[in-house]
Amino acid sequence: MNYTISQVAKKTSLSIYTIRYYDKEGLLPFLHRTKTGNRIFNNHDIEWIELICCLKKTGLQIKDIRTFIECFTNNEPSIEKGLQILTLHKKNVQQQIEDTKVHLRSIEYKIKHLPQMYKNKLSESSL
C-alpha cells in the first residue's frame, strides 16, 4: 500500500516539515517519487521512519542516524557497522535509564520529605 506524505505525517505523528527535513538530511534515501516529484511511502518506509523517531527520541544524533541508515542502503551493506551503532546506542540508552532512576529517587525523596522540612524551617524561624 502506498501513502502520501500527509498520510504518513498522520500515521507517525510527525509534521510534513519534519518528514521533508529527514529526507533532505539523507535519512530517507529509499523513498520513491512520482513523476511529478511527490514522495511515495510504503509500509516499509514507515517502519524506517518509526525507527528514526525511536533513535532520535533516545538521543542518537541525526548524523549518526544517517550513518546507521547508510550501513543498509549502500551497495555493500555493512550490517556489522549498523549493529555496532545500535549496540553502542543501546548502552547509552541503558545508562540514561539508570541515571533517570537515580533522579527519580531523588525527586521521590523530596516529595516525601519536603513538606516536613518546610514545616521544620517555619517552626525554627518563628522561635
mmCIF file of all heavy atoms in Angstrom, residues 71-115:
data_model
loop_
_atom_site.group_PDB
_atom_site.id
_atom_site.type_symbol
_atom_site.label_atom_id
_atom_site.label_comp_id
_atom_site.label_asym_id
_atom_site.label_seq_id
_atom_site.Cartn_x
_atom_site.Cartn_y
_atom_site.Cartn_z
ATOM 1 N N CYS A 71 24.524 2.281 6.366
ATOM 2 C CA CYS A 71 25.018 0.909 6.511
ATOM 3 C C CYS A 71 24.121 -0.097 5.791
ATOM 4 O O CYS A 71 24.562 -1.184 5.428
ATOM 5 C CB CYS A 71 25.105 0.528 7.986
ATOM 6 S SG CYS A 71 26.389 1.386 8.900
ATOM 7 N N PHE A 72 22.865 0.262 5.604
ATOM 8 C CA PHE A 72 21.911 -0.667 4.999
ATOM 9 C C PHE A 72 21.450 -0.251 3.608
ATOM 10 O O PHE A 72 20.715 -0.978 2.968
ATOM 11 C CB PHE A 72 20.700 -0.833 5.919
ATOM 12 C CG PHE A 72 21.078 -1.388 7.255
ATOM 13 C CD1 PHE A 72 21.268 -0.558 8.348
ATOM 14 C CD2 PHE A 72 21.296 -2.746 7.413
ATOM 15 C CE1 PHE A 72 21.643 -1.066 9.574
ATOM 16 C CE2 PHE A 72 21.665 -3.262 8.634
ATOM 17 C CZ PHE A 72 21.854 -2.422 9.721
ATOM 18 N N THR A 73 21.878 0.911 3.154
ATOM 19 C CA THR A 73 21.414 1.370 1.846
ATOM 20 C C THR A 73 22.529 1.502 0.823
ATOM 21 O O THR A 73 22.256 1.759 -0.343
ATOM 22 C CB THR A 73 20.693 2.726 1.973
ATOM 23 O OG1 THR A 73 21.565 3.673 2.575
ATOM 24 C CG2 THR A 73 19.416 2.596 2.771
ATOM 25 N N ASN A 74 23.764 1.343 1.231
ATOM 26 C CA ASN A 74 24.865 1.385 0.274
ATOM 27 C C ASN A 74 24.869 0.113 -0.560
ATOM 28 O O ASN A 74 24.197 -0.868 -0.230
ATOM 29 C CB ASN A 74 26.215 1.522 1.002
ATOM 30 C CG ASN A 74 26.403 2.920 1.551
ATOM 31 O OD1 ASN A 74 25.775 3.861 1.104
ATOM 32 N ND2 ASN A 74 27.279 3.046 2.529
ATOM 33 N N ASN A 75 25.647 0.102 -1.624
ATOM 34 C CA ASN A 75 25.726 -1.079 -2.486
ATOM 35 C C ASN A 75 26.235 -2.296 -1.721
ATOM 36 O O ASN A 75 25.828 -3.413 -1.981
ATOM 37 C CB ASN A 75 26.633 -0.800 -3.691
ATOM 38 C CG ASN A 75 25.996 0.191 -4.644
ATOM 39 O OD1 ASN A 75 24.780 0.339 -4.672
ATOM 40 N ND2 ASN A 75 26.812 0.878 -5.412
ATOM 41 N N GLU A 76 27.164 -2.069 -0.797
ATOM 42 C CA GLU A 76 27.681 -3.161 0.020
ATOM 43 C C GLU A 76 27.280 -2.896 1.466
ATOM 44 O O GLU A 76 27.968 -2.194 2.194
ATOM 45 C CB GLU A 76 29.205 -3.245 -0.099
ATOM 46 C CG GLU A 76 29.671 -3.625 -1.487
ATOM 47 C CD GLU A 76 31.185 -3.727 -1.562
ATOM 48 O OE1 GLU A 76 31.819 -4.055 -0.549
ATOM 49 O OE2 GLU A 76 31.708 -3.468 -2.649
ATOM 50 N N PRO A 77 26.138 -3.418 1.869
ATOM 51 C CA PRO A 77 25.666 -3.129 3.224
ATOM 52 C C PRO A 77 26.655 -3.607 4.290
ATOM 53 O O PRO A 77 27.287 -4.647 4.156
ATOM 54 C CB PRO A 77 24.344 -3.885 3.325
ATOM 55 C CG PRO A 77 24.227 -4.722 2.113
ATOM 56 C CD PRO A 77 25.285 -4.315 1.141
ATOM 57 N N SER A 78 26.787 -2.793 5.307
ATOM 58 C CA SER A 78 27.677 -3.111 6.411
ATOM 59 C C SER A 78 26.846 -3.374 7.660
ATOM 60 O O SER A 78 26.697 -2.510 8.519
ATOM 61 C CB SER A 78 28.655 -1.955 6.645
ATOM 62 O OG SER A 78 29.445 -2.223 7.774
ATOM 63 N N ILE A 79 26.290 -4.558 7.708
ATOM 64 C CA ILE A 79 25.423 -4.917 8.824
ATOM 65 C C ILE A 79 26.180 -4.839 10.144
ATOM 66 O O ILE A 79 25.646 -4.377 11.153
ATOM 67 C CB ILE A 79 24.813 -6.322 8.600
ATOM 68 C CG1 ILE A 79 23.877 -6.271 7.394
ATOM 69 C CG2 ILE A 79 24.077 -6.804 9.838
ATOM 70 C CD1 ILE A 79 23.388 -7.619 6.944
ATOM 71 N N GLU A 80 27.449 -5.250 10.140
ATOM 72 C CA GLU A 80 28.244 -5.226 11.369
ATOM 73 C C GLU A 80 28.352 -3.808 11.920
ATOM 74 O O GLU A 80 28.191 -3.578 13.110
ATOM 75 C CB GLU A 80 29.647 -5.802 11.136
ATOM 76 C CG GLU A 80 29.668 -7.278 10.792
ATOM 77 C CD GLU A 80 29.375 -7.558 9.319
ATOM 78 O OE1 GLU A 80 29.532 -6.648 8.481
ATOM 79 O OE2 GLU A 80 28.960 -8.691 9.029
ATOM 80 N N LYS A 81 28.619 -2.838 11.037
ATOM 81 C CA LYS A 81 28.743 -1.452 11.483
ATOM 82 C C LYS A 81 27.399 -0.937 11.987
ATOM 83 O O LYS A 81 27.340 -0.240 13.002
ATOM 84 C CB LYS A 81 29.258 -0.564 10.350
ATOM 85 C CG LYS A 81 29.514 0.854 10.785
ATOM 86 C CD LYS A 81 30.145 1.682 9.678
ATOM 87 C CE LYS A 81 30.380 3.097 10.168
ATOM 88 N NZ LYS A 81 30.943 3.947 9.121
ATOM 89 N N GLY A 82 26.323 -1.284 11.305
ATOM 90 C CA GLY A 82 24.993 -0.878 11.750
ATOM 91 C C GLY A 82 24.655 -1.449 13.111
ATOM 92 O O GLY A 82 24.135 -0.753 13.985
ATOM 93 N N LEU A 83 24.984 -2.724 13.308
ATOM 94 C CA LEU A 83 24.739 -3.353 14.617
ATOM 95 C C LEU A 83 25.617 -2.736 15.703
ATOM 96 O O LEU A 83 25.192 -2.593 16.850
ATOM 97 C CB LEU A 83 24.966 -4.860 14.531
ATOM 98 C CG LEU A 83 23.913 -5.638 13.747
ATOM 99 C CD1 LEU A 83 24.317 -7.103 13.621
ATOM 100 C CD2 LEU A 83 22.548 -5.516 14.405
ATOM 101 N N GLN A 84 26.829 -2.362 15.329
ATOM 102 C CA GLN A 84 27.734 -1.715 16.286
ATOM 103 C C GLN A 84 27.148 -0.373 16.746
ATOM 104 O O GLN A 84 27.174 -0.056 17.939
ATOM 105 C CB GLN A 84 29.095 -1.518 15.629
ATOM 106 C CG GLN A 84 30.154 -0.978 16.548
ATOM 107 C CD GLN A 84 31.486 -0.824 15.814
ATOM 108 O OE1 GLN A 84 31.538 -0.431 14.644
ATOM 109 N NE2 GLN A 84 32.572 -1.145 16.503
ATOM 110 N N ILE A 85 26.594 0.385 15.807
ATOM 111 C CA ILE A 85 25.958 1.661 16.152
ATOM 112 C C ILE A 85 24.790 1.424 17.103
ATOM 113 O O ILE A 85 24.654 2.105 18.125
ATOM 114 C CB ILE A 85 25.499 2.408 14.880
ATOM 115 C CG1 ILE A 85 26.716 2.879 14.085
ATOM 116 C CG2 ILE A 85 24.587 3.578 15.222
ATOM 117 C CD1 ILE A 85 26.397 3.387 12.689
ATOM 118 N N LEU A 86 23.945 0.440 16.788
ATOM 119 C CA LEU A 86 22.792 0.147 17.649
ATOM 120 C C LEU A 86 23.215 -0.359 19.015
ATOM 121 O O LEU A 86 22.620 0.003 20.036
ATOM 122 C CB LEU A 86 21.872 -0.877 16.982
ATOM 123 C CG LEU A 86 20.959 -0.373 15.884
ATOM 124 C CD1 LEU A 86 20.050 -1.501 15.400
ATOM 125 C CD2 LEU A 86 20.132 0.809 16.344
ATOM 126 N N THR A 87 24.244 -1.193 19.060
ATOM 127 C CA THR A 87 24.710 -1.740 20.336
ATOM 128 C C THR A 87 25.246 -0.634 21.236
ATOM 129 O O THR A 87 24.928 -0.588 22.437
ATOM 130 C CB THR A 87 25.798 -2.816 20.095
ATOM 131 O OG1 THR A 87 25.224 -3.855 19.293
ATOM 132 C CG2 THR A 87 26.300 -3.396 21.397
ATOM 133 N N LEU A 88 26.037 0.257 20.677
ATOM 134 C CA LEU A 88 26.560 1.390 21.451
ATOM 135 C C LEU A 88 25.418 2.288 21.910
ATOM 136 O O LEU A 88 25.384 2.728 23.063
ATOM 137 C CB LEU A 88 27.569 2.182 20.622
ATOM 138 C CG LEU A 88 28.157 3.412 21.295
ATOM 139 C CD1 LEU A 88 28.911 3.029 22.576
ATOM 140 C CD2 LEU A 88 29.096 4.141 20.333
ATOM 141 N N HIS A 89 24.470 2.535 21.028
ATOM 142 C CA HIS A 89 23.332 3.381 21.398
ATOM 143 C C HIS A 89 22.505 2.716 22.497
ATOM 144 O O HIS A 89 22.046 3.385 23.425
ATOM 145 C CB HIS A 89 22.464 3.680 20.176
ATOM 146 C CG HIS A 89 21.361 4.640 20.473
ATOM 147 N ND1 HIS A 89 21.587 5.915 20.935
ATOM 148 C CD2 HIS A 89 20.014 4.494 20.396
ATOM 149 C CE1 HIS A 89 20.427 6.516 21.138
ATOM 150 N NE2 HIS A 89 19.467 5.672 20.819
ATOM 151 N N LYS A 90 22.351 1.407 22.421
ATOM 152 C CA LYS A 90 21.614 0.680 23.460
ATOM 153 C C LYS A 90 22.281 0.884 24.814
ATOM 154 O O LYS A 90 21.610 1.142 25.819
ATOM 155 C CB LYS A 90 21.548 -0.815 23.127
ATOM 156 C CG LYS A 90 20.856 -1.647 24.190
ATOM 157 C CD LYS A 90 20.920 -3.118 23.868
ATOM 158 C CE LYS A 90 20.387 -3.935 25.040
ATOM 159 N NZ LYS A 90 20.559 -5.371 24.834
ATOM 160 N N LYS A 91 23.609 0.796 24.860
ATOM 161 C CA LYS A 91 24.328 1.015 26.115
ATOM 162 C C LYS A 91 24.097 2.425 26.634
ATOM 163 O O LYS A 91 23.893 2.634 27.839
ATOM 164 C CB LYS A 91 25.828 0.763 25.923
ATOM 165 C CG LYS A 91 26.177 -0.695 25.757
ATOM 166 C CD LYS A 91 27.667 -0.883 25.541
ATOM 167 C CE LYS A 91 27.991 -2.348 25.256
ATOM 168 N NZ LYS A 91 29.400 -2.565 24.946
ATOM 169 N N ASN A 92 24.099 3.396 25.727
ATOM 170 C CA ASN A 92 23.844 4.779 26.133
ATOM 171 C C ASN A 92 22.436 4.952 26.683
ATOM 172 O O ASN A 92 22.238 5.645 27.689
ATOM 173 C CB ASN A 92 24.073 5.735 24.957
ATOM 174 C CG ASN A 92 25.527 5.846 24.570
ATOM 175 O OD1 ASN A 92 26.421 5.573 25.358
ATOM 176 N ND2 ASN A 92 25.776 6.227 23.337
ATOM 177 N N VAL A 93 21.461 4.324 26.036
ATOM 178 C CA VAL A 93 20.074 4.413 26.499
ATOM 179 C C VAL A 93 19.934 3.736 27.861
ATOM 180 O O VAL A 93 19.263 4.255 28.763
ATOM 181 C CB VAL A 93 19.097 3.804 25.462
ATOM 182 C CG1 VAL A 93 17.694 3.673 26.036
ATOM 183 C CG2 VAL A 93 19.082 4.650 24.189
ATOM 184 N N GLN A 94 20.581 2.590 28.042
ATOM 185 C CA GLN A 94 20.529 1.916 29.342
ATOM 186 C C GLN A 94 21.129 2.805 30.430
ATOM 187 O O GLN A 94 20.603 2.856 31.544
ATOM 188 C CB GLN A 94 21.264 0.578 29.272
ATOM 189 C CG GLN A 94 20.506 -0.463 28.490
ATOM 190 C CD GLN A 94 21.305 -1.732 28.234
ATOM 191 O OE1 GLN A 94 22.517 -1.697 28.047
ATOM 192 N NE2 GLN A 94 20.613 -2.863 28.210
ATOM 193 N N GLN A 95 22.208 3.516 30.126
ATOM 194 C CA GLN A 95 22.811 4.421 31.100
ATOM 195 C C GLN A 95 21.868 5.584 31.400
ATOM 196 O O GLN A 95 21.734 6.004 32.545
ATOM 197 C CB GLN A 95 24.161 4.951 30.604
ATOM 198 C CG GLN A 95 24.891 5.795 31.630
ATOM 199 C CD GLN A 95 25.167 5.027 32.918
ATOM 200 O OE1 GLN A 95 25.755 3.952 32.883
ATOM 201 N NE2 GLN A 95 24.745 5.573 34.045
ATOM 202 N N GLN A 96 21.191 6.083 30.361
ATOM 203 C CA GLN A 96 20.208 7.152 30.573
ATOM 204 C C GLN A 96 19.096 6.679 31.508
ATOM 205 O O GLN A 96 18.649 7.426 32.382
ATOM 206 C CB GLN A 96 19.578 7.588 29.244
ATOM 207 C CG GLN A 96 20.484 8.340 28.316
ATOM 208 C CD GLN A 96 19.822 8.556 26.952
ATOM 209 O OE1 GLN A 96 18.613 8.396 26.777
ATOM 210 N NE2 GLN A 96 20.629 8.928 25.971
ATOM 211 N N ILE A 97 18.664 5.438 31.324
ATOM 212 C CA ILE A 97 17.614 4.883 32.171
ATOM 213 C C ILE A 97 18.092 4.816 33.615
ATOM 214 O O ILE A 97 17.359 5.190 34.545
ATOM 215 C CB ILE A 97 17.162 3.497 31.654
ATOM 216 C CG1 ILE A 97 16.416 3.638 30.331
ATOM 217 C CG2 ILE A 97 16.304 2.768 32.697
ATOM 218 C CD1 ILE A 97 16.168 2.323 29.607
ATOM 219 N N GLU A 98 19.305 4.330 33.814
ATOM 220 C CA GLU A 98 19.849 4.249 35.179
ATOM 221 C C GLU A 98 19.976 5.639 35.799
ATOM 222 O O GLU A 98 19.632 5.837 36.965
ATOM 223 C CB GLU A 98 21.192 3.518 35.185
ATOM 224 C CG GLU A 98 21.083 2.040 34.873
ATOM 225 C CD GLU A 98 20.090 1.310 35.770
ATOM 226 O OE1 GLU A 98 20.139 1.486 37.007
ATOM 227 O OE2 GLU A 98 19.254 0.557 35.230
ATOM 228 N N ASP A 99 20.469 6.601 35.029
ATOM 229 C CA ASP A 99 20.589 7.971 35.522
ATOM 230 C C ASP A 99 19.216 8.540 35.878
ATOM 231 O O ASP A 99 19.047 9.195 36.910
ATOM 232 C CB ASP A 99 21.260 8.879 34.481
ATOM 233 C CG ASP A 99 22.716 8.528 34.238
ATOM 234 O OD1 ASP A 99 23.306 7.762 35.045
ATOM 235 O OD2 ASP A 99 23.275 9.012 33.227
ATOM 236 N N THR A 100 18.226 8.264 35.035
ATOM 237 C CA THR A 100 16.866 8.751 35.281
ATOM 238 C C THR A 100 16.292 8.118 36.549
ATOM 239 O O THR A 100 15.595 8.779 37.321
ATOM 240 C CB THR A 100 15.965 8.478 34.061
ATOM 241 O OG1 THR A 100 16.516 9.156 32.932
ATOM 242 C CG2 THR A 100 14.549 8.953 34.295
ATOM 243 N N LYS A 101 16.584 6.848 36.788
ATOM 244 C CA LYS A 101 16.118 6.191 38.015
ATOM 245 C C LYS A 101 16.697 6.874 39.245
ATOM 246 O O LYS A 101 15.995 7.073 40.250
ATOM 247 C CB LYS A 101 16.489 4.707 38.009
ATOM 248 C CG LYS A 101 15.649 3.867 37.082
ATOM 249 C CD LYS A 101 16.106 2.415 37.118
ATOM 250 C CE LYS A 101 15.308 1.542 36.191
ATOM 251 N NZ LYS A 101 15.770 0.140 36.210
ATOM 252 N N VAL A 102 17.970 7.251 39.187
ATOM 253 C CA VAL A 102 18.605 7.962 40.309
ATOM 254 C C VAL A 102 17.905 9.298 40.524
ATOM 255 O O VAL A 102 17.583 9.668 41.656
ATOM 256 C CB VAL A 102 20.117 8.160 40.049
ATOM 257 C CG1 VAL A 102 20.730 9.127 41.045
ATOM 258 C CG2 VAL A 102 20.842 6.825 40.081
ATOM 259 N N HIS A 103 17.651 10.017 39.444
ATOM 260 C CA HIS A 103 16.971 11.314 39.552
ATOM 261 C C HIS A 103 15.556 11.142 40.090
ATOM 262 O O HIS A 103 15.101 11.949 40.917
ATOM 263 C CB HIS A 103 16.935 12.016 38.199
ATOM 264 C CG HIS A 103 18.290 12.313 37.645
ATOM 265 N ND1 HIS A 103 19.314 12.888 38.372
ATOM 266 C CD2 HIS A 103 18.806 12.103 36.408
ATOM 267 C CE1 HIS A 103 20.383 13.025 37.630
ATOM 268 N NE2 HIS A 103 20.113 12.538 36.431
ATOM 269 N N LEU A 104 14.885 10.088 39.656
ATOM 270 C CA LEU A 104 13.528 9.821 40.129
ATOM 271 C C LEU A 104 13.520 9.543 41.633
ATOM 272 O O LEU A 104 12.657 10.045 42.355
ATOM 273 C CB LEU A 104 12.919 8.643 39.357
ATOM 274 C CG LEU A 104 11.498 8.254 39.743
ATOM 275 C CD1 LEU A 104 10.532 9.413 39.547
ATOM 276 C CD2 LEU A 104 11.060 7.031 38.948
ATOM 277 N N ARG A 105 14.479 8.774 42.113
ATOM 278 C CA ARG A 105 14.561 8.505 43.555
ATOM 279 C C ARG A 105 14.773 9.806 44.334
ATOM 280 O O ARG A 105 14.182 10.014 45.398
ATOM 281 C CB ARG A 105 15.662 7.503 43.860
ATOM 282 C CG ARG A 105 15.279 6.070 43.510
ATOM 283 C CD ARG A 105 16.238 5.037 44.091
ATOM 284 N NE ARG A 105 17.586 5.105 43.542
ATOM 285 C CZ ARG A 105 17.980 4.504 42.435
ATOM 286 N NH1 ARG A 105 17.140 3.751 41.739
ATOM 287 N NH2 ARG A 105 19.227 4.627 42.007
ATOM 288 N N SER A 106 15.574 10.696 43.799
ATOM 289 C CA SER A 106 15.806 11.985 44.445
ATOM 290 C C SER A 106 14.521 12.808 44.488
ATOM 291 O O SER A 106 14.188 13.405 45.522
ATOM 292 C CB SER A 106 16.901 12.744 43.695
ATOM 293 O OG SER A 106 17.106 14.001 44.268
ATOM 294 N N ILE A 107 13.801 12.818 43.399
ATOM 295 C CA ILE A 107 12.532 13.547 43.354
ATOM 296 C C ILE A 107 11.536 12.938 44.329
ATOM 297 O O ILE A 107 10.850 13.653 45.075
ATOM 298 C CB ILE A 107 11.969 13.559 41.913
ATOM 299 C CG1 ILE A 107 12.862 14.428 41.010
ATOM 300 C CG2 ILE A 107 10.523 14.044 41.885
ATOM 301 C CD1 ILE A 107 12.581 14.263 39.528
ATOM 302 N N GLU A 108 11.443 11.616 44.352
ATOM 303 C CA GLU A 108 10.524 10.945 45.283
ATOM 304 C C GLU A 108 10.881 11.254 46.727
ATOM 305 O O GLU A 108 9.998 11.459 47.566
ATOM 306 C CB GLU A 108 10.533 9.435 45.033
ATOM 307 C CG GLU A 108 9.860 9.046 43.728
ATOM 308 C CD GLU A 108 10.056 7.586 43.356
ATOM 309 O OE1 GLU A 108 11.020 6.943 43.845
ATOM 310 O OE2 GLU A 108 9.244 7.084 42.548
ATOM 311 N N TYR A 109 12.167 11.298 47.042
ATOM 312 C CA TYR A 109 12.615 11.632 48.394
ATOM 313 C C TYR A 109 12.152 13.039 48.755
ATOM 314 O O TYR A 109 11.634 13.263 49.851
ATOM 315 C CB TYR A 109 14.141 11.524 48.477
ATOM 316 C CG TYR A 109 14.679 11.921 49.833
ATOM 317 C CD1 TYR A 109 14.738 10.996 50.870
ATOM 318 C CD2 TYR A 109 15.108 13.219 50.071
ATOM 319 C CE1 TYR A 109 15.215 11.357 52.117
ATOM 320 C CE2 TYR A 109 15.582 13.594 51.320
ATOM 321 C CZ TYR A 109 15.636 12.663 52.341
ATOM 322 O OH TYR A 109 16.096 13.030 53.578
ATOM 323 N N LYS A 110 12.349 13.979 47.826
ATOM 324 C CA LYS A 110 11.937 15.361 48.101
ATOM 325 C C LYS A 110 10.432 15.466 48.269
ATOM 326 O O LYS A 110 9.958 16.188 49.149
ATOM 327 C CB LYS A 110 12.399 16.301 46.983
ATOM 328 C CG LYS A 110 13.881 16.524 46.967
ATOM 329 C CD LYS A 110 14.341 17.186 48.250
ATOM 330 C CE LYS A 110 15.832 17.457 48.183
ATOM 331 N NZ LYS A 110 16.363 17.987 49.429
ATOM 332 N N ILE A 111 9.671 14.760 47.450
ATOM 333 C CA ILE A 111 8.213 14.783 47.582
ATOM 334 C C ILE A 111 7.809 14.278 48.953
ATOM 335 O O ILE A 111 6.928 14.829 49.617
ATOM 336 C CB ILE A 111 7.548 13.955 46.465
ATOM 337 C CG1 ILE A 111 7.680 14.684 45.127
ATOM 338 C CG2 ILE A 111 6.085 13.663 46.782
ATOM 339 C CD1 ILE A 111 7.256 13.854 43.931
ATOM 340 N N LYS A 112 8.480 13.244 49.412
ATOM 341 C CA LYS A 112 8.139 12.637 50.702
ATOM 342 C C LYS A 112 8.565 13.517 51.882
ATOM 343 O O LYS A 112 7.836 13.640 52.864
ATOM 344 C CB LYS A 112 8.808 11.261 50.799
ATOM 345 C CG LYS A 112 8.449 10.496 52.040
ATOM 346 C CD LYS A 112 9.061 9.113 52.013
ATOM 347 C CE LYS A 112 8.707 8.345 53.269
ATOM 348 N NZ LYS A 112 9.304 7.007 53.266
ATOM 349 N N HIS A 113 9.735 14.137 51.788
ATOM 350 C CA HIS A 113 10.289 14.823 52.939
ATOM 351 C C HIS A 113 10.196 16.345 52.896
ATOM 352 O O HIS A 113 10.358 16.993 53.936
ATOM 353 C CB HIS A 113 11.758 14.415 53.119
ATOM 354 C CG HIS A 113 11.905 12.976 53.484
ATOM 355 N ND1 HIS A 113 12.136 12.001 52.554
ATOM 356 C CD2 HIS A 113 11.825 12.351 54.691
ATOM 357 C CE1 HIS A 113 12.204 10.821 53.167
ATOM 358 N NE2 HIS A 113 12.013 11.000 54.464
ATOM 359 N N LEU A 114 9.953 16.921 51.767
ATOM 360 C CA LEU A 114 9.926 18.374 51.654
ATOM 361 C C LEU A 114 8.860 19.030 52.531
ATOM 362 O O LEU A 114 9.149 20.042 53.186
ATOM 363 C CB LEU A 114 9.759 18.788 50.192
ATOM 364 C CG LEU A 114 10.177 20.200 49.843
ATOM 365 C CD1 LEU A 114 11.627 20.453 50.223
ATOM 366 C CD2 LEU A 114 9.981 20.465 48.369
ATOM 367 N N PRO A 115 7.647 18.494 52.610
ATOM 368 C CA PRO A 115 6.651 19.143 53.486
ATOM 369 C C PRO A 115 7.124 19.225 54.944
ATOM 370 O O PRO A 115 6.984 20.267 55.585
ATOM 371 C CB PRO A 115 5.414 18.248 53.351
ATOM 372 C CG PRO A 115 5.568 17.622 52.007
ATOM 373 C CD PRO A 115 7.046 17.407 51.848
#
